[in-house]
Short mmCIF file of all heavy atoms in Angstrom, two decimals:
data_model
loop_
_atom_site.label_atom_id
_atom_site.label_comp_id
_atom_site.label_asym_id
_atom_site.label_seq_id
_atom_site.Cartn_x
_atom_site.Cartn_y
_atom_site.Cartn_z
N TYR J 88 -4.71 5.42 5.01
CA TYR J 88 -4.36 5.13 6.40
C TYR J 88 -2.95 5.53 6.74
O TYR J 88 -2.68 6.23 7.74
CB TYR J 88 -4.57 3.62 6.71
CG TYR J 88 -4.02 3.19 8.05
CD1 TYR J 88 -4.72 3.47 9.21
CD2 TYR J 88 -2.82 2.48 8.13
CE1 TYR J 88 -4.21 3.10 10.46
CE2 TYR J 88 -2.31 2.08 9.37
CZ TYR J 88 -2.99 2.40 10.52
OH TYR J 88 -2.51 2.02 11.74
N TRP J 123 -8.69 -5.68 7.74
CA TRP J 123 -8.62 -7.13 8.04
C TRP J 123 -9.44 -7.93 7.00
O TRP J 123 -8.93 -8.86 6.38
CB TRP J 123 -9.17 -7.34 9.43
CG TRP J 123 -9.07 -8.70 10.02
CD1 TRP J 123 -9.98 -9.72 9.88
CD2 TRP J 123 -7.98 -9.24 10.80
NE1 TRP J 123 -9.55 -10.83 10.52
CE2 TRP J 123 -8.31 -10.59 11.12
CE3 TRP J 123 -6.79 -8.73 11.27
CZ2 TRP J 123 -7.49 -11.40 11.89
CZ3 TRP J 123 -5.97 -9.52 12.04
CH2 TRP J 123 -6.33 -10.86 12.32
N LEU J 166 -0.74 -10.14 2.93
CA LEU J 166 -0.20 -10.56 4.25
C LEU J 166 0.78 -9.54 4.79
O LEU J 166 0.78 -9.22 5.97
CB LEU J 166 0.47 -11.94 4.17
CG LEU J 166 1.00 -12.51 5.49
CD1 LEU J 166 -0.07 -12.60 6.55
CD2 LEU J 166 1.68 -13.85 5.29
N PHE J 167 1.61 -8.96 3.90
CA PHE J 167 2.53 -7.94 4.33
C PHE J 167 1.78 -6.73 4.89
O PHE J 167 2.11 -6.15 5.92
CB PHE J 167 3.48 -7.53 3.22
CG PHE J 167 4.44 -6.46 3.58
CD1 PHE J 167 5.44 -6.70 4.54
CD2 PHE J 167 4.37 -5.19 3.01
CE1 PHE J 167 6.31 -5.71 4.92
CE2 PHE J 167 5.28 -4.19 3.38
CZ PHE J 167 6.22 -4.45 4.34
N ASP J 168 0.74 -6.30 4.15
CA ASP J 168 -0.01 -5.13 4.61
C ASP J 168 -0.74 -5.43 5.92
O ASP J 168 -0.75 -4.62 6.85
CB ASP J 168 -0.99 -4.66 3.52
CG ASP J 168 -0.25 -3.81 2.48
OD1 ASP J 168 0.87 -3.33 2.76
OD2 ASP J 168 -0.79 -3.64 1.38
N LEU J 169 -1.31 -6.60 6.07
CA LEU J 169 -1.93 -6.99 7.31
C LEU J 169 -0.93 -6.92 8.44
O LEU J 169 -1.19 -6.39 9.55
CB LEU J 169 -2.51 -8.41 7.26
CG LEU J 169 -3.86 -8.58 6.56
CD1 LEU J 169 -4.06 -10.05 6.21
CD2 LEU J 169 -5.00 -8.05 7.44
N THR J 170 0.27 -7.43 8.18
CA THR J 170 1.32 -7.49 9.21
C THR J 170 1.75 -6.09 9.64
O THR J 170 1.97 -5.82 10.80
CB THR J 170 2.54 -8.29 8.72
OG1 THR J 170 2.10 -9.55 8.29
CG2 THR J 170 3.61 -8.44 9.80
N ARG J 171 1.81 -5.15 8.67
CA ARG J 171 2.25 -3.79 9.08
C ARG J 171 1.11 -2.94 9.63
O ARG J 171 1.36 -2.01 10.35
CB ARG J 171 3.00 -3.09 7.94
CG ARG J 171 2.22 -2.79 6.72
CD ARG J 171 3.06 -2.04 5.66
NE ARG J 171 2.24 -1.67 4.54
CZ ARG J 171 2.48 -0.66 3.71
NH1 ARG J 171 3.54 0.08 3.88
NH2 ARG J 171 1.67 -0.40 2.72
N PHE J 172 -0.14 -3.30 9.31
CA PHE J 172 -1.26 -2.58 9.92
C PHE J 172 -1.53 -3.04 11.34
O PHE J 172 -1.90 -2.28 12.22
CB PHE J 172 -2.55 -2.80 9.08
CG PHE J 172 -2.65 -1.90 7.86
CD1 PHE J 172 -1.77 -2.01 6.79
CD2 PHE J 172 -3.63 -0.95 7.77
CE1 PHE J 172 -1.88 -1.21 5.68
CE2 PHE J 172 -3.76 -0.12 6.65
CZ PHE J 172 -2.88 -0.25 5.60
N PHE J 173 -1.39 -4.39 11.59
CA PHE J 173 -1.77 -4.94 12.88
C PHE J 173 -0.60 -5.38 13.74
O PHE J 173 -0.82 -5.73 14.91
CB PHE J 173 -2.74 -6.12 12.68
CG PHE J 173 -4.06 -5.73 12.09
CD1 PHE J 173 -4.31 -5.80 10.74
CD2 PHE J 173 -5.06 -5.25 12.92
CE1 PHE J 173 -5.53 -5.39 10.20
CE2 PHE J 173 -6.31 -4.85 12.40
CZ PHE J 173 -6.52 -4.92 11.03
N GLY J 174 0.60 -5.39 13.21
CA GLY J 174 1.78 -5.85 13.97
C GLY J 174 2.80 -4.73 14.06
O GLY J 174 2.90 -3.89 13.16
N TYR J 175 3.59 -4.77 15.10
CA TYR J 175 4.64 -3.74 15.26
C TYR J 175 5.76 -3.90 14.20
O TYR J 175 5.95 -4.99 13.66
CB TYR J 175 5.23 -3.83 16.68
CG TYR J 175 4.35 -3.20 17.71
CD1 TYR J 175 3.69 -3.96 18.66
CD2 TYR J 175 4.16 -1.80 17.74
CE1 TYR J 175 2.86 -3.38 19.61
CE2 TYR J 175 3.34 -1.23 18.68
CZ TYR J 175 2.68 -2.00 19.60
OH TYR J 175 1.86 -1.40 20.52
N PRO J 176 6.48 -2.77 13.96
CA PRO J 176 7.57 -2.87 12.99
C PRO J 176 8.54 -4.00 13.35
O PRO J 176 8.87 -4.21 14.50
CB PRO J 176 8.27 -1.48 13.08
CG PRO J 176 7.20 -0.57 13.60
CD PRO J 176 6.31 -1.44 14.51
N TYR J 177 9.02 -4.67 12.32
CA TYR J 177 9.92 -5.80 12.51
C TYR J 177 11.11 -5.44 13.38
O TYR J 177 11.51 -6.18 14.29
CB TYR J 177 10.40 -6.28 11.13
CG TYR J 177 11.22 -7.55 11.22
CD1 TYR J 177 10.64 -8.80 10.97
CD2 TYR J 177 12.60 -7.57 11.52
CE1 TYR J 177 11.37 -9.96 11.05
CE2 TYR J 177 13.31 -8.70 11.60
CZ TYR J 177 12.71 -9.92 11.35
OH TYR J 177 13.47 -11.07 11.45
N LEU J 178 11.68 -4.28 13.13
CA LEU J 178 12.94 -3.92 13.84
C LEU J 178 12.72 -3.49 15.28
O LEU J 178 13.69 -3.30 16.03
CB LEU J 178 13.67 -2.83 13.02
CG LEU J 178 14.18 -3.32 11.67
CD1 LEU J 178 14.74 -2.19 10.83
CD2 LEU J 178 15.21 -4.45 11.83
N LYS J 179 11.48 -3.33 15.68
CA LYS J 179 11.22 -2.98 17.10
C LYS J 179 11.70 -4.10 18.03
O LYS J 179 12.27 -3.86 19.07
CB LYS J 179 9.70 -2.76 17.30
CG LYS J 179 9.31 -2.32 18.70
CD LYS J 179 7.87 -1.84 18.75
CE LYS J 179 7.49 -1.34 20.11
NZ LYS J 179 6.56 -2.20 20.83
N ASP J 180 11.48 -5.35 17.61
CA ASP J 180 11.86 -6.49 18.46
C ASP J 180 12.30 -7.68 17.61
O ASP J 180 12.10 -8.83 18.01
CB ASP J 180 10.73 -6.87 19.38
CG ASP J 180 9.44 -7.13 18.64
OD1 ASP J 180 9.48 -7.19 17.38
OD2 ASP J 180 8.38 -7.28 19.25
N GLY J 182 10.83 -8.91 15.11
CA GLY J 182 9.70 -9.73 14.69
C GLY J 182 9.12 -10.63 15.75
O GLY J 182 8.32 -11.52 15.47
N SER J 184 7.05 -9.91 18.25
CA SER J 184 5.67 -9.62 18.68
C SER J 184 4.66 -10.18 17.70
O SER J 184 5.04 -10.71 16.62
CB SER J 184 5.46 -8.12 18.88
OG SER J 184 5.89 -7.43 17.73
N LEU J 185 3.40 -10.09 18.02
CA LEU J 185 2.39 -10.75 17.22
C LEU J 185 2.12 -10.04 15.89
O LEU J 185 1.97 -8.82 15.85
CB LEU J 185 1.07 -10.85 18.01
CG LEU J 185 1.04 -11.92 19.12
CD1 LEU J 185 -0.27 -11.88 19.87
CD2 LEU J 185 1.28 -13.35 18.53
N GLY J 186 2.07 -10.82 14.83
CA GLY J 186 1.61 -10.32 13.54
C GLY J 186 0.17 -10.67 13.35
O GLY J 186 -0.67 -10.33 14.16
N VAL J 187 -0.15 -11.38 12.28
CA VAL J 187 -1.50 -11.78 12.04
C VAL J 187 -1.56 -13.28 11.77
O VAL J 187 -0.54 -13.95 11.85
CB VAL J 187 -2.09 -10.99 10.81
CG1 VAL J 187 -2.22 -9.52 11.15
CG2 VAL J 187 -1.26 -11.20 9.58
N ARG J 202 -2.77 -15.91 15.92
CA ARG J 202 -1.84 -15.04 15.23
C ARG J 202 -0.44 -15.67 15.25
O ARG J 202 -0.04 -16.28 16.24
CB ARG J 202 -1.77 -13.67 15.97
CG ARG J 202 -3.09 -12.95 15.95
CD ARG J 202 -3.06 -11.71 16.84
NE ARG J 202 -2.24 -10.61 16.25
CZ ARG J 202 -2.08 -9.42 16.85
NH1 ARG J 202 -2.64 -9.21 18.01
NH2 ARG J 202 -1.37 -8.49 16.24
N SER J 203 0.29 -15.46 14.20
CA SER J 203 1.71 -15.82 14.18
C SER J 203 2.52 -14.58 14.54
O SER J 203 1.98 -13.48 14.61
CB SER J 203 2.08 -16.30 12.77
OG SER J 203 1.42 -17.52 12.48
N THR J 204 3.83 -14.77 14.75
CA THR J 204 4.65 -13.59 15.04
C THR J 204 4.89 -12.82 13.77
O THR J 204 4.69 -13.31 12.64
CB THR J 204 6.03 -14.04 15.64
OG1 THR J 204 6.74 -14.75 14.62
CG2 THR J 204 5.89 -14.89 16.87
N VAL J 205 5.33 -11.56 13.98
CA VAL J 205 5.71 -10.74 12.85
C VAL J 205 6.79 -11.44 11.98
O VAL J 205 6.72 -11.47 10.76
CB VAL J 205 6.17 -9.35 13.35
CG1 VAL J 205 6.89 -8.57 12.21
CG2 VAL J 205 4.99 -8.55 13.88
N ALA J 206 7.76 -12.06 12.66
CA ALA J 206 8.84 -12.73 11.96
C ALA J 206 8.30 -13.90 11.09
O ALA J 206 8.73 -14.07 9.95
CB ALA J 206 9.88 -13.24 12.93
N CYS J 208 5.29 -14.08 9.84
CA CYS J 208 4.58 -13.47 8.71
C CYS J 208 5.55 -12.98 7.64
O CYS J 208 5.32 -13.22 6.42
CB CYS J 208 3.69 -12.30 9.19
SG CYS J 208 2.33 -12.82 10.25
N TYR J 209 6.67 -12.36 8.07
CA TYR J 209 7.65 -11.95 7.08
C TYR J 209 8.22 -13.17 6.33
O TYR J 209 8.45 -13.08 5.11
CB TYR J 209 8.79 -11.19 7.77
CG TYR J 209 8.54 -9.68 7.84
CD1 TYR J 209 7.51 -9.16 8.64
CD2 TYR J 209 9.35 -8.79 7.12
CE1 TYR J 209 7.31 -7.78 8.72
CE2 TYR J 209 9.12 -7.42 7.21
CZ TYR J 209 8.09 -6.93 8.00
OH TYR J 209 7.89 -5.57 8.05
N TYR J 247 12.03 -3.09 5.25
CA TYR J 247 11.30 -3.09 6.52
C TYR J 247 11.94 -4.05 7.54
O TYR J 247 11.87 -3.87 8.73
CB TYR J 247 9.87 -3.51 6.31
CG TYR J 247 8.86 -2.42 5.96
CD1 TYR J 247 9.00 -1.67 4.76
CD2 TYR J 247 7.72 -2.16 6.73
CE1 TYR J 247 8.10 -0.68 4.40
CE2 TYR J 247 6.82 -1.19 6.35
CZ TYR J 247 6.98 -0.46 5.20
OH TYR J 247 6.05 0.51 4.85
N MET J 437 3.62 7.15 7.64
CA MET J 437 3.76 6.67 9.01
C MET J 437 4.62 5.42 9.06
O MET J 437 5.49 5.26 9.94
CB MET J 437 2.42 6.36 9.65
CG MET J 437 2.59 5.92 11.11
SD MET J 437 1.11 5.38 11.95
CE MET J 437 0.77 3.83 11.20
N PHE J 438 4.46 4.52 8.10
CA PHE J 438 5.24 3.29 8.11
C PHE J 438 6.75 3.61 7.93
O PHE J 438 7.61 3.01 8.57
CB PHE J 438 4.77 2.36 7.00
CG PHE J 438 3.34 1.90 7.15
CD1 PHE J 438 2.36 2.33 6.28
CD2 PHE J 438 2.97 1.07 8.23
CE1 PHE J 438 1.05 1.91 6.45
CE2 PHE J 438 1.66 0.68 8.41
CZ PHE J 438 0.70 1.07 7.50
N LEU J 441 8.07 5.07 11.25
CA LEU J 441 8.11 4.15 12.41
C LEU J 441 9.04 2.97 12.19
O LEU J 441 9.73 2.54 13.10
CB LEU J 441 6.69 3.66 12.78
CG LEU J 441 6.00 4.52 13.85
CD1 LEU J 441 6.06 6.01 13.58
CD2 LEU J 441 4.60 4.06 14.09
N TRP J 474 7.23 4.17 17.61
CA TRP J 474 6.71 2.79 17.51
C TRP J 474 6.27 2.23 18.90
O TRP J 474 5.78 1.09 18.94
CB TRP J 474 7.66 1.87 16.79
CG TRP J 474 8.98 1.53 17.47
CD1 TRP J 474 9.30 1.66 18.78
CD2 TRP J 474 10.16 1.05 16.82
NE1 TRP J 474 10.58 1.23 19.00
CE2 TRP J 474 11.14 0.87 17.81
CE3 TRP J 474 10.44 0.73 15.49
CZ2 TRP J 474 12.42 0.39 17.51
CZ3 TRP J 474 11.72 0.25 15.21
CH2 TRP J 474 12.69 0.09 16.20
N HIS J 477 0.71 2.62 21.34
CA HIS J 477 -0.05 1.37 21.08
C HIS J 477 -1.01 1.57 19.90
O HIS J 477 -1.35 0.60 19.19
CB HIS J 477 -0.82 0.90 22.33
CG HIS J 477 -2.05 1.66 22.68
ND1 HIS J 477 -2.02 2.86 23.35
CD2 HIS J 477 -3.35 1.38 22.44
CE1 HIS J 477 -3.25 3.30 23.53
NE2 HIS J 477 -4.09 2.43 22.98
N SER J 479 -0.26 3.06 17.18
CA SER J 479 0.42 3.10 15.88
C SER J 479 0.17 1.78 15.12
O SER J 479 0.53 1.67 13.95
CB SER J 479 1.95 3.32 16.10
OG SER J 479 2.55 2.21 16.72
N ILE J 480 -0.38 0.77 15.79
CA ILE J 480 -0.92 -0.35 15.08
C ILE J 480 -2.40 -0.51 15.47
O ILE J 480 -2.83 -0.02 16.51
CB ILE J 480 -0.17 -1.69 15.37
CG1 ILE J 480 -0.18 -2.03 16.86
CG2 ILE J 480 1.27 -1.54 14.87
CD1 ILE J 480 0.43 -3.39 17.17
N LEU J 481 -3.18 -1.12 14.57
CA LEU J 481 -4.64 -1.20 14.76
C LEU J 481 -5.01 -2.29 15.75
O LEU J 481 -4.30 -3.29 15.89
CB LEU J 481 -5.31 -1.46 13.42
CG LEU J 481 -5.29 -0.30 12.42
CD1 LEU J 481 -5.73 -0.81 11.03
CD2 LEU J 481 -6.17 0.86 12.87
N PRO J 482 -6.18 -2.08 16.43
CA PRO J 482 -6.70 -3.22 17.20
C PRO J 482 -7.23 -4.29 16.29
O PRO J 482 -7.77 -4.01 15.21
CB PRO J 482 -7.83 -2.54 18.00
CG PRO J 482 -8.30 -1.40 17.13
CD PRO J 482 -7.06 -0.93 16.40
N ILE J 483 -7.14 -5.56 16.74
CA ILE J 483 -7.82 -6.64 15.99
C ILE J 483 -9.31 -6.35 16.08
O ILE J 483 -9.85 -6.02 17.14
CB ILE J 483 -7.49 -8.00 16.64
CG1 ILE J 483 -5.98 -8.26 16.71
CG2 ILE J 483 -8.22 -9.13 15.96
CD1 ILE J 483 -5.31 -8.39 15.35
N ASN J 497 -4.11 -6.69 20.53
CA ASN J 497 -2.82 -6.00 20.64
C ASN J 497 -2.66 -5.33 22.01
O ASN J 497 -3.66 -4.88 22.59
CB ASN J 497 -2.70 -4.92 19.52
CG ASN J 497 -2.19 -5.56 18.24
OD1 ASN J 497 -1.37 -6.46 18.29
ND2 ASN J 497 -2.67 -5.09 17.11
N PRO J 498 -1.40 -5.22 22.48
CA PRO J 498 -1.17 -4.60 23.78
C PRO J 498 -1.69 -3.16 23.82
O PRO J 498 -1.60 -2.46 22.81
CB PRO J 498 0.36 -4.60 23.91
CG PRO J 498 0.90 -5.44 22.79
CD PRO J 498 -0.19 -5.62 21.79
#
Side-chain angles (χ1 to χ4, degrees):
Y88 170 75
W123 186 272
L166 182 58
F167 179 65
D168 280 343
L169 281 163
T170 305
R171 64 180 185 154
F172 279 65
F173 292 96
Y175 282 110
Y177 187 97
L178 293 174
K179 182 168 183 251
D180 54 10
S184 51
L185 285 177
V187 293
R202 297 173 72 180
S203 294
T204 65
V205 166
C208 292
Y209 270 67
Y247 274 61
M437 183 184 72
F438 298 112
L441 267 50
W474 67 21
H477 77 279
S479 68
I480 59 174
L481 288 168
I483 302 296
N497 275 325

